[in-house]
Amino acid sequence: MSPLDSTTPAGPTRQEDVITDPSGAGSLPRPIEIGSRRGQPAAGRQALQDIALRIASIVALLFIWWLLSLIFPPTLIPKPWETFAEVGAIIGAGDLFFEMGNTLRRVGVGFGLAMAVSIPLGIFMGTMRSLESFFEPPVVLGLTMPGLIWAVLAIMFFGLTETSAYAAVAITIMPMLTISLWQGTKSIDKDLIDMSKVFHASPWSKVVDVIMPQLISHILAAIRYGLGLAWKVVVVVEMFGFSNGVGYRVVRGFNTFSMKTVLAWTITFLVVMIVIEFGMIGWLERTVTRWRPRVEAWRR
Amino acid sequence: MAYVRVDQAVKFFPREDGSQMLVLNGVSFETKEHGITCLLGPSGCGKSTLLNVISGLERLDRGQIEFRVSGSNPKLENRNPKLGYVFQDPRLLNWKRVEGNLTFALKGMRIPRAEWERRLGKYLELVGLLEFRQQYPLYLSGGMRQRVGLARGLVIEPEVLLMDEPFSKLDQLTARKLREDALQICARLRQTALLVTHDVEEAAYMGERIVVFSARPAHIIEVVDNPLAPSDRNFDDLHFIQFKKKLLNTVLKLIDQEVRV
Ligand SMILES: Nc1ncnc2c1ncn2[C@@H]1O[C@H](COP(=O)(O)OP(=O)(O)O)[C@@H](O)[C@H]1O
Ligand SMILES: [Mg+2]
């Protein structure tokens, strides 16, 4: 029988060729345990141990706080539980959602503006020599500018309006976002661009299917770092004389010299930030990088 | 399906210092229609450049490329025939599933959406990857990724399929299996194809016609037609081994003459 008569060519030996299954991908890389002679604990036990250690760390921090509150007067360091009662009161009064909502909206709008400018600008700078030379000085200059100064300038320019908050956030993170996109674009695989040309991909398809996916990790890193900058600036702007937002509440606590209020707002703010940072952005990252096998360099 | 006629192709590349480097030095040949034509030549002689010219990624400085269909008087095919391309390292979009990589090509070539499902099924089955259509490329072995690249080249049902050393990065056993499968698939589809290689055995096995290139600047030093039908080529068969030896000797002798001239 000639090979032409036979049916479909058999694929390679199936199971061995599949390295892993994406759905089965999971656990975080483990740190190297130098000098560890013990056998590897079962995965479940290991996970429990990790959680226990994290809880222990938080308990230790609370304990130190409590010790300090014994030494200093309550006007300087309030008791932990009194502070948490204040947090409860803030939530109970419905203030939290109102103030946090205002602050988050300012960060969100500022961020959106910055992305809308920085993503195309960064891509153009990475692909066109002349634009790169032209925009490099302002971008580098902008990177060294303290957010506090942008906040002052924005309020002087726009007055105590929402616009000044949006502008201050946007302009503070713009240089950093632009730089990551610009550098990311330069590292794009030219061979894939050639491939997309050979198959006559439309300009839109080139951007969406070929270029953006290669930039996604740069964008995520920039978002992480940018959020850190954005929170700081927005709180400063709110402190200057806004009548709502987390920054305003903190300043009000400062004016009445209520350490409890200042700490309570700070703690709620931190919790919300951490949820956004690790919860939402972490989720986003896992979703958009599902195609990539997990690096498990530390697995033994 | 069409065949390709390359006529007096000349191509320069600028060097770093601004001078011109001659890469293609008046290359002329015709490919087979409905069969694989192998471009055999040493590394760096300009084979990939020629494929890039044929696919439109690069422009010729002189000469021309024609796509023709045979008939009583050979008539010129449309200027932009559909071309499939299979790359050396498969150049897949790793963030798209296997089927997503194929639909990327279908979308680019404006194939009607109603056709997609049938084509995906047909060509993934041909390369033996039907059950992996939902998989991401980085979870596949090198040989399987190359199969995805082959399926992507075929799924647009190209008039000419261009392949640039598609097996050269694979281990020997995987490469051999893939050569067998690719030859069989092309024969079954009666696919016109151009396969670039620097491997004499691969050329003898895959090519209806073997076009032998000189070292850079490239010109054609010999065109050999394969006396064996695709179904009669077998790596262990005596006739095949004889043909392979003859081809090897031809190439060696010609390269020898080249050097002396
Ligand atoms: N874009 C380019 N610019 C300048 N030189 C190039 C370019 N592409 C290829 N070359 C040079 O042209 C020659 C032929 O390259 P190539 O066609 O890739 O060879 P082959 O595929 O036969 O190994 C090589 O010397 C290579 O360095
Ligand atoms: Mg090459």
Side-chain angles (χ1 to χ4, degrees):
Chain A
M1 187 178 82
S2 86
L4 292 185
D5 298 330
S6 68
T7 47
T8 17
T13 40
R14 300 271 139 83
Q15 299 319 321
E16 306 161 2
D17 275 28
V18 187
I19 297 161
T20 36
D21 188 283
S23 53
S27 64
L28 288 161
R30 317 291 338 159
I32 307 177
E33 288 178 22
I34 297 165
S36 162
R37 294 264 183 276
R38 291 174 300 119
Q40 200 178 349
R45 245 188 70 199
Q46 180 95 49
L48 273 180
Q49 188 184 327
D50 287 350
I51 293 169
L53 282 170
R54 283 188 190 126
I55 292 172
S57 152
I58 292 168
V59 169
L61 280 175
L62 289 173
F63 183 71
I64 293 171
W65 181 359
W66 175 72
L67 280 182
L68 290 172
S69 74
L70 293 180
I71 302 167
F72 292 95
T75 46
L76 289 186
I77 300 193
K79 296 268 180 295
W81 52 86
E82 285 172 0
T83 310
F84 286 110
E86 179 74 14
V87 171
I90 290 169
I91 297 172
D95 289 355
L96 175 71
F97 300 103
F98 176 71
E99 308 291 12
M100 197 63 78
N102 278 317
T103 301
L104 288 182
R105 189 192 62 247
R106 286 166 194 147
V107 168
V109 172
F111 226 93
L113 284 174
M115 300 250 273
V117 174
S118 294
I119 292 181
L121 181 60
I123 293 179
F124 281 128
M125 283 177 74
T127 46
M128 288 160 81
R129 191 73 165 265
S130 51
L131 286 180
E132 178 172 18
S133 311
F134 187 80
F135 282 105
E136 189 176 343
V139 167
V140 173
L141 217 69
L143 196 66
T144 51
M145 186 89 150
L148 179 62
I149 293 183
W150 284 127
V152 171
L153 291 178
I155 291 171
M156 288 175 79
F157 198 83
F158 295 108
L160 285 172
T161 60
E162 289 296 311
T163 316
S164 60
Y166 300 154
V169 170
I171 204 152
T172 305
I173 56 180
M174 230 182 253
M176 195 270 312
L177 258 177
T178 308
I179 286 188
S180 8
L181 268 293
W182 164 31
Q183 295 305 326
T185 306
K186 282 180 148 184
S187 66
I188 273 182
D189 190 350
K190 182 185 168 292
D191 285 349
L192 285 183
I193 303 285
D194 277 351
M195 184 281 289
S196 68
K197 282 188 199 160
V198 165
F199 289 105
H200 298 277
S202 63
W204 173 250
S205 168
K206 273 184 204 165
V207 169
V208 172
D209 296 328
V210 184
I211 295 177
M212 286 300 272
Q214 295 187 67
L215 292 178
I216 204 78
S217 48
H218 293 270
I219 294 177
L220 283 171
I223 287 181
R224 281 230 166 86
Y225 190 58
L227 274 183
L229 290 177
W231 306 133
K232 287 167 198 154
V233 177
V234 83
V235 168
V236 168
V237 173
E238 288 171 351
M239 284 178 167
F240 268 112
F242 271 58
S243 53
N244 56 46
V246 175
Y248 159 72
R249 285 309 190 107
V250 171
V251 162
R252 220 170 65 170
F254 171 75
N255 287 337
T256 57
F257 210 79
S258 165
M259 188 59 103
K260 209 167 61 179
T261 312
V262 171
L263 283 182
W265 277 102
T266 309
I267 288 173
T268 37
F269 191 61
L270 286 181
V271 170
V272 172
M273 295 312 106
I274 288 171
V275 168
I276 291 178
E277 168 94 31
F278 286 88
M280 284 170 59
I281 299 180
W283 170 83
L284 190 66
E285 176 155 36
R286 281 191 300 277
T287 311
V288 297
T289 59
R290 225 174 346 148
W291 54 272
R292 195 184 288 151
R294 295 259 165 276
V295 180
E296 297 194 342
W298 307 152
R299 263 263 183 90
R300 284 158 303 172
Chain B
M1 229 164 260
Y3 67 97
V4 186
R5 209 178 106 100
V6 177
D7 193 19
Q8 290 299 320
V10 174
K11 174 76 188 167
F12 293 94
F13 273 127
R15 285 202 187 86
E16 280 299 316
D17 61 11
S19 64
Q20 298 282 315
M21 177 173 79
L22 182 58
V23 178
L24 301 178
N25 185 15
V27 171
S28 303
F29 66 91
E30 267 182 19
T31 73
K32 281 272 186 185
E33 195 169 8
H34 304 298
I36 301 178
T37 302
C38 282
L39 308 183
L40 175 64
S43 286
C45 75
K47 306 181 297 294
S48 298
T49 304
L50 184 63
L51 278 204
N52 288 339
V53 165
I54 293 173
S55 70
L57 284 176
E58 298 275 2
R59 278 176 180 283
L60 279 183
D61 290 304
R62 251 178 288 139
Q64 54 188 349
I65 310 286
E66 284 171 6
F67 298 93
R68 298 182 165 208
V69 281
S70 55
S72 45
N73 57 339
K75 74 172 191 293
L76 231 54
E77 173 77 345
N78 57 345
R79 293 225 157 262
N80 293 311
K82 262 189 298 178
L83 300 177
Y85 209 134
V86 183
F87 301 90
Q88 184 173 20
D89 27 37
R91 302 196 191 179
L92 302 178
L93 302 173
N94 289 331
W95 41 90
K96 289 188 175 293
R97 295 169 198 276
V98 167
E99 59 177 13
N101 273 278
L102 268 55
T103 52
F104 174 80
L106 291 171
K107 188 169 65 174
M109 303 303 288
R110 318 285 186 282
I111 310 287
R113 220 164 262 267
E115 269 280 293
W116 289 12
E117 191 48 44
R118 182 190 69 79
R119 297 231 191 158
L120 286 177
K122 176 174 172 186
Y123 291 97
L124 283 175
E125 165 126 54
L126 269 179
V127 300
L129 286 183
L130 198 51
E131 58 189 295
F132 294 104
R133 58 183 289 178
Q134 299 287 345
Q135 192 67 281
Y136 286 104
L138 293 187
Y139 293 90
L140 302 174
S141 70
M144 292 166 90
R145 284 181 218 170
Q146 202 61 57
R147 284 171 189 271
V148 179
L150 180 60
R152 180 180 60 189
L154 288 170
V155 79
I156 63 171
E157 300 190 341
E159 260 136 311
V160 180
L161 180 69
L162 308 173
M163 296 184 270
D164 193 355
E165 307 200 21
F167 315 116
S168 64
K169 288 235 172 124
L170 302 174
D171 67 83
Q172 216 174 0
L173 290 174
T174 310
R176 183 164 168 167
K177 181 78 182 105
L178 211 51
R179 278 185 201 115
E180 287 170 5
D181 289 352
L183 178 64
Q184 195 183 347
I185 291 167
C186 285
R188 172 152 5 141
L189 297 171
R190 305 192 68 232
Q191 178 71 51
T192 306
L194 258 134
L195 177 90
V196 161
T197 179
H198 58 247
D199 180 334
V200 174
E201 183 179 52
E202 180 172 306
Y205 183 72
M206 304 284 293
E208 285 310 279
R209 174 171 291 170
I210 297 128
V211 179
V212 184
F213 279 59
S214 72
R216 205 191 72 225
H219 57 265
I220 306 303
I221 45 183
E222 182 81 338
V223 177
V224 184
D225 279 347
N226 201 326
L228 300 171
S231 52
D232 295 336
R233 294 175 213 152
N234 187 322
F235 288 109
D236 312 314
D237 179 77
L238 196 62
H239 296 292
F240 176 72
I241 294 172
Q242 276 170 351
F243 174 61
K244 184 178 81 183
K245 276 194 182 145
K246 209 179 103 205
L247 183 64
L248 182 63
N249 285 332
T250 316
V251 172
L252 288 176
K253 204 166 68 205
L254 289 167
I255 289 176
D256 221 33
Q257 280 171 8
E258 282 278 311
V259 173
R260 249 177 271 141
V261 170

